[in-house]
Every structure is written in C-alpha cells, then in structure tokens.
Amino acid sequence: MNPRAEVALSGVEKCAARARTRRITDALGKTPDPTPDQVEEALRGLGHLDERVDGPRRSAGGVGFTLDLRIMGGHLCLDGTVTGARTAVLPYGASSRVTCREVRRSAPGVTSSRA
C-alpha cells in the first residue's frame, strides 16, 4: 500500500467529518474574509490543538488550513479553505505514516460550504 494514497474513511469518520465541518463553517461564518490569525483563533476556539492544525496560511486569495483528526487508529483529515464569505471543507483519509498534507487525494469534493 502506498502510504501517500488516500485511505477510505469509516462510517463513523464520515459522520465525524460532517459534524466537524458544520462546526468549522459556523465558526468561520462569523468573520467574513478572515485573516490566517482569525482562522487560527476560530479553530482553537473549537478545541483544535496547535499540533493538529497545519496552517492557517494564505492560499489562492483566501486562507487554507489542514486538520489532522487521526486518533486511535483513525484516518480522518480535513482540508479547509476560506475565501471571502465562502468556506469549503474536504474530508479525506490518511495513513498514519504520512502527514495529512502529503496525501494524494483521488477525487476532490466539498462536504460542506457556506457562501
């Protein structure tokens, strides 16, 4: 198995991804066109630990971030982008042998977004 290949998420992880995505989009919806510092503050306010957050960083006119939510053998990672008043979050699975950002995802898609 290629450790950089996307890993399938379990049903529980898919459910967790939907719940986390809602919380993130709701929190970021309170600050239109946030800065990286504001995104970081919102993620911390949701209980995300610094060592599990990659970014936030400026990217393509917005702010991008990656969350490593892999615990107890799980695979859940989230990539998020905030551009203006729009937040998009993509869940995917990653092997424990690589960082979430190293994963080559097969099919980009948006689980949730706000506009």
Side-chain angles (χ1 to χ4, degrees), residues 84-100:
R86 180 175 169 80
T87 300
V89 180
L90 172 67
Y92 58 97
S95 162
S96 61
R97 295 183 286 171
V98 297
T99 67
C100 289

Side-chain angles (χ1 to χ4, degrees), residues 29 40 54 99 104 108-109:
E40 183 177 10
D54 186 345
T99 67
R104 291 188 196 109

Side-chain angles (χ1 to χ4, degrees), residues 7-29:
V7 176
L9 296 174
S10 70
V12 171
E13 289 172 317
K14 289 176 185 177
C15 184
R18 284 190 296 273
R20 294 272 184 155
T21 296
R22 272 193 302 275
R23 291 178 56 215
I24 291 167
T25 56
D26 288 348
L28 293 173

Side-chain angles (χ1 to χ4, degrees), residues 37-89:
D37 288 340
Q38 290 169 316
V39 171
E40 183 177 10
E41 184 178 319
L43 294 174
R44 278 190 186 153
L46 293 172
H48 297 287
L49 304 174
D50 288 344
E51 57 269 12
R52 297 293 189 151
V53 178
D54 186 345
R57 62 200 167 275
R58 285 275 176 208
S59 108
V63 177
F65 60 91
T66 302
L67 294 176
D68 182 346
L69 302 173
R70 297 174 291 181
I71 57 170
M72 298 177 64
H75 301 102
L76 181 59
C77 297
L78 297 177
D79 267 354
T81 306
V82 185
T83 307
R86 180 175 169 80
T87 300
V89 180

